[in-house]
């Protein structure tokens, strides 16, 4: 007799949901039972302390002089004092509570597995390019082009390499267009995400494949494509043994981006000439005026039916970033959803800053998706950071996404994208845990093994006799 693994798996998920809810309840109850009224007062004190710490961080960023240093002291000392107090008073209860929370998270994610996980991009096998051209920036990533001998390996594989000479100004877009005009049937870039975006836009414009070589400092685009960022030379294997993916490309006005375009405080700070030499000092000097609205443009962002008024920061990304997993922040589940991710932050004061930390759905944080975003300002130009590059764009800035515009060639053998865990949705867990009996299984598991005969199945199937 066969085993119905689908039904058994679903029942295991249902019981995992119940275990997650029970473990979460016990995690909250453990300090209360162990400490009694004192435990309840300590939990309330902890919530107040977290709110005070968040407010102190806001004061640290928006004040100057002695008041700033006093606020910074509060932001550091209050959490440290709370940890010491909890450790002395509820040490064993906290250990038990932490273990129960770990169990609750693991069980909850097991219960919700297969519900909105990673969707891989479809691959296509195509013959190797005959005339690939690769543009390489030897300064990116601390000199990865030379350290990994990327030029030598690319030329051995039949590619023509255009090297950006240090100390000279280069029009990367023009170099890529000239390569296509000379017959290139593949364009590639070894450098940071800003360089990648410029070459990718030309490749998309002429519908030729694009090769990403992870020779930059961070290379977020390469990470979300599943490439090996630790060994950029492995990306060149795509020239001989590669597959093609269709992914989206973002635009802020006419400026392409493979990762994101940011507006607001950060974008204004990176415009400063002093930022490159003193990032922390420059940020602390400029943030008080930027966060309180005394300096910088007053932004309005419109995405679909949502309007963000006077946000301090707006981030528009080529496909949305993960938000439900703290270990997966900055990662994208997919690059072919055809939508922009939008993240807006508006903090009006210390209380609003505390709400960002304590409220699970704070009013000052906006997370949504849209095919188009318009960023307006009270001036003719807006500072922007496009894939990490400081720019000034004409206002308003129309951000859009070009679905499937980019043909990316990647190695057939590559690390791949690590699927993110499902978002821990307690409401869905409660619904899953509450189901009983046959109603717990998905509808497809209730279908009979054999289709019942319909009335028309009993009709005569032989042709009628002739007259």
């Amino acid at each position: 007799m066969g085993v119905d693994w689908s039904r058994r798996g679903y029942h295991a998920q249902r019981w995992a949901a119940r275990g997650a809810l029970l473990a979460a309840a016990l995690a909250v109850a453990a300090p209360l039972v162990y400490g009694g009224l004192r435990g309840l007062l300590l939990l309330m004190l902890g919530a107040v302390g977290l709110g005070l710490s968040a407010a102190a961080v806001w004061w640290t960023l928006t004040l100057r002089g002695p008041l700033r240093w006093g606020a910074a002291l509060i932001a550091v000392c209050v959490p440290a004092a709370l940890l010491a107090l909890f450790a002395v008073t509820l040490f064993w209860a906290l250990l038990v509570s932490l273990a129960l929370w770990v169990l609750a998270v693991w069980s909850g994610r097991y219960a919700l597995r297969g519900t909105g996980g990673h969707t891989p991009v479809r691959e296509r096998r195509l013959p190797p390019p005959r005339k690939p051209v690769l543009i390489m920036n030897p300064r990116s990533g601390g000199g990865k082009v030379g350290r990994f001998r990327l030029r030598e390996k690319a030329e051995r594989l039949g590619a023509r390499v255009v090297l950006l000479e240090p100390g000279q100004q280069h029009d990367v877009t023009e170099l890529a267009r000239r390569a296509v005009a000379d017959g290139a049937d593949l364009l590639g870039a070894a450098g940071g995400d800003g360089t990648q975006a410029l070459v990718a836009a030309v490749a998309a414009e002429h519908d030729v494949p694009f090769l990403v070589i992870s020779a930059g400092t961070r290379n977020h685009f390469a990470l979300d494509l599943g490439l090996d960022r630790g060994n950029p030379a492995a990306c060149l294997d795509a020239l001989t043994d590669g597959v093609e993916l269709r992914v989206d490309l973002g635009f802020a006005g006419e400026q392409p981006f493979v990762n994101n375009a940011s507006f607001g405080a950060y974008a204004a700070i990176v415009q400063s000439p002093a930022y490159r030499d003193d990032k922390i000092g420059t940020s602390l000097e400029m943030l008080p005026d930027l966060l309180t609205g005394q300096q910088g443009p007053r932004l309005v962002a419109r995405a679909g039916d949502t309007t963000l008024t006077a946000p301090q920061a707006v981030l528009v990304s080529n496909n949305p970033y993960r938000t439900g997993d703290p270990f997966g922040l900055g990662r994208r589940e997919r690059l072919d959803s055809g939508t922009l991710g939008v993240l807006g932050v508006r903090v009006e004061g210390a209380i609003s800053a505390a709400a960002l930390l304590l409220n699970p759905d704070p009013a000052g944080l906006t997370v949504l998706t849209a095919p188009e975003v318009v960023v307006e300002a009270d001036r003719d130009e807006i500072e922007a950071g496009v894939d990490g590059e400081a720019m000034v764009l004409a206002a308003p800035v129309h951000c859009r996404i070009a679905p499937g515009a980019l043909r990316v060639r990647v190695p057939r053998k590559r690390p791949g994208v690590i699927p993110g865990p499902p978002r821990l949705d307690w409401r869905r867990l409660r619904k899953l845990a509450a189901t009983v009996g046959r109603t717990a299984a998905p509808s497809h598991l209730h279908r009979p093994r054999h289709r019942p005969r319909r009335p028309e199945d009993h009709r005569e199937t032989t042709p009628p006799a002739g007259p």
Side-chain angles (χ1 to χ4, degrees):
M1 183 176 65
V3 179
D4 191 345
W5 290 109
S6 297
R7 185 179 296 277
R8 285 195 176 187
Y10 187 82
H11 284 220
Q13 288 177 267
R14 181 180 55 172
W15 281 105
R18 293 172 178 174
L21 295 174
L22 177 61
L26 292 175
V28 174
L32 300 179
V33 172
Y34 181 84
L37 179 60
R38 182 178 56 179
L40 177 61
L41 292 176
L42 283 174
L43 289 179
M44 294 174 60
L45 180 63
V48 173
L50 288 176
L52 178 59
S53 300
V57 171
W58 171 257
W59 292 326
T60 302
L61 297 177
T62 56
L63 299 176
R64 290 188 172 91
L67 291 178
R68 163 177 280 175
W69 297 113
L73 190 64
I74 293 174
V76 173
C77 292
V78 168
L82 286 174
L83 285 175
L85 181 61
F86 273 77
V88 171
T89 310
L90 300 172
F91 180 72
W92 292 109
L94 286 179
L95 290 181
V96 172
S97 180
L98 179 61
L100 288 169
W101 272 118
V102 171
L103 177 61
V105 171
W106 182 87
S107 299
R109 285 180 169 169
Y110 176 85
L112 296 174
R113 75 190 196 283
T115 56
H118 174 68
T119 303
V121 181
R122 182 178 299 177
E123 299 180 356
R124 288 199 308 162
R125 292 295 301 271
L126 293 175
R130 290 173 286 105
K131 196 175 180 181
V133 176
L134 308 180
I135 298 174
M136 296 188 178
N137 184 354
R139 294 170 297 176
S140 290
K144 287 184 179 180
V145 169
R147 191 160 67 250
F148 288 90
R149 303 183 64 83
L150 299 181
R151 179 179 185 178
E152 291 80 356
K153 180 176 180 179
E155 290 177 342
R156 284 198 306 269
L157 294 174
R160 181 168 72 89
V161 175
V162 178
L163 205 63
L164 303 181
E165 296 295 336
Q168 297 185 18
Q169 293 292 330
H170 297 276
D171 188 337
V172 174
T173 300
E174 180 58 30
L175 290 174
R177 285 178 175 158
R178 192 181 307 161
V180 174
D182 291 341
D185 60 350
L186 178 142
L187 291 176
D193 289 316
T195 303
Q196 302 280 354
L198 294 175
V199 181
V202 177
E205 177 186 350
H206 295 277
D207 195 31
V208 299
F210 174 61
L211 176 62
V212 177
I213 307 170
S214 55
T217 303
R218 288 175 292 273
N219 282 121
H220 293 296
F221 188 50
L223 178 66
D224 292 330
L225 286 170
L227 300 177
D228 188 349
R229 293 194 300 173
N231 180 19
C235 301
L236 293 171
D237 294 341
L239 291 173
T240 55
D241 185 19
V243 294
E244 188 177 290
L245 315 175
R246 277 277 186 180
V247 301
D248 307 332
L249 186 63
F251 288 88
E254 298 302 317
Q255 190 67 34
F257 60 89
V258 293
N259 289 322
N260 58 61
S262 62
F263 307 89
Y266 170 76
I269 290 173
V270 297
Q271 305 290 328
S272 171
Y275 178 75
R276 187 173 298 273
D277 297 326
D278 185 11
K279 292 181 172 58
I280 295 178
T282 304
S283 300
L284 290 176
E285 176 62 29
M286 297 181 64
L287 277 174
D289 293 335
L290 290 171
L291 294 179
T292 56
Q294 301 177 45
Q295 183 180 330
R298 187 179 188 275
L299 302 179
V300 176
R302 307 183 191 278
D305 297 331
T306 303
T307 300
L308 285 69
T309 304
Q312 279 99 346
V314 177
L315 183 74
V316 181
S317 59
N318 174 18
N319 285 260
Y321 290 110
R322 297 180 193 170
T323 56
D325 176 22
F327 298 102
L329 293 178
R331 299 290 302 273
R332 288 167 286 185
E333 290 287 357
R334 55 191 302 180
L335 294 169
D336 62 343
S337 69
T339 58
L340 297 169
V342 184
L343 175 64
V345 179
R346 180 183 180 186
V347 182
E348 298 179 344
I351 295 178
S352 180
L356 282 177
L357 183 62
L358 298 177
N359 189 345
D361 188 20
L365 182 65
T366 302
V367 181
L368 52 88
T369 60
E372 183 176 323
V373 180
V374 179
V375 182
E376 304 171 353
D378 57 352
R379 57 185 64 179
D380 296 334
E381 295 180 327
I382 306 177
E383 295 94 346
V386 182
D387 280 340
E389 301 291 333
M391 299 181 181
V392 178
L393 304 178
V397 180
H398 292 260
C399 300
R400 60 183 177 87
I401 194 163
L406 187 59
R407 300 166 54 191
V408 181
R409 188 173 178 90
V410 297
R412 184 175 57 85
K413 296 179 180 179
R414 61 192 187 280
V417 179
I418 301 175
R423 183 175 180 270
L424 204 58
D425 190 330
W426 296 102
R427 181 178 300 176
R428 295 182 64 186
L429 282 174
R430 287 197 300 269
K431 291 178 64 176
L432 179 60
T435 54
V436 295
R438 290 178 58 83
T439 60
S443 58
H444 73 273
L445 296 180
H446 295 153
R447 297 171 185 165
R449 292 180 180 274
H450 302 286
R451 179 177 61 85
R453 300 192 70 183
R454 297 172 296 180
E456 55 267 29
D457 293 338
H458 297 278
R459 294 174 183 169
E460 185 69 44
T461 57
T462 57

